[in-house]
Amino acid sequence: MDLIELARQLGAEIQNTEAYTNMIVATNKADADKDLQDAIGKFNLTRLTINNEAQKEDRDEELIRTKNEELRAIYAGIMENENMIAYNDAKTVLDNLVQRVTMIINMCAEGADPATADYDASASCGGNCSSCAGCH
């Protein structure tokens, strides 16, 4: 069996995990949440309005300020939505799993023992998020 076939099998195994299933369920719930989708649409339109106004030579700074406040309020509402919270939580768990698998493969490609190579993002966190690839 070649490496590409093994990678495909690994992909299939990831899709058999609880983390993947939870991510699909959370995605579907978020997609079906009309209030959430409306808020995301409003967020995108507001952001577009800000960008369009900011590009003008004679831009209206008061409009930009007002729209930025509106954008922050919309964003806060989106992030407080139970389906968005569930989606973000599920995405984090799946992303951490995929990151762990990827790091183990990278470690092995650099000579680590495949039987013992492992990765724990929380254990390697130095607290400085500026150089982080994402653990949370």
Side-chain angles (χ1 to χ4, degrees):
M1 180 175 309
D2 72 357
L3 289 176
I4 302 303
E5 183 59 32
L6 285 172
R8 289 187 174 115
Q9 285 183 5
L10 181 57
E13 288 302 316
I14 288 171
Q15 289 179 350
N16 286 329
T17 65
E18 182 179 354
Y20 178 82
T21 301
N22 290 344
M23 178 64 186
I24 295 302
V25 169
T27 299
N28 291 338
K29 285 183 178 179
D31 288 348
D33 184 332
K34 183 177 178 345
D35 292 338
L36 176 59
Q37 294 306 313
D38 288 348
I40 290 170
K42 187 174 181 182
F43 177 89
N44 289 331
L45 288 174
T46 304
R47 187 177 58 189
L48 184 61
T49 299
I50 294 167
N51 290 342
N52 287 340
E53 188 63 31
Q55 291 178 9
K56 293 180 181 177
E57 241 179 77
D58 60 335
R59 64 182 161 256
D60 182 342
E61 297 296 337
E62 180 61 24
L63 175 66
I64 292 173
R65 186 190 65 73
T66 302
K67 290 295 181 182
N68 271 321
E69 288 175 7
E70 184 180 330
L71 190 69
R72 283 190 288 278
I74 295 167
Y75 181 79
I78 289 170
M79 298 313 289
E80 291 172 357
N81 177 287
E82 67 182 34
N83 288 317
M84 180 56 86
I85 292 168
Y87 169 82
N88 283 334
D89 290 347
K91 182 173 180 357
T92 297
V93 171
L94 181 60
D95 286 350
N96 287 343
L97 173 63
V98 171
Q99 181 184 28
R100 182 177 181 195
V101 169
T102 301
M103 291 302 295
I104 291 170
I105 291 169
N106 286 337
M107 291 169 73
C108 292
E110 293 172 0
D113 181 356
T116 59
D118 205 347
Y119 177 77
D120 180 1
S122 63
S124 66
C125 181
N128 181 356
C129 294
S130 66
S131 64
C132 185
C135 64
H136 301 290

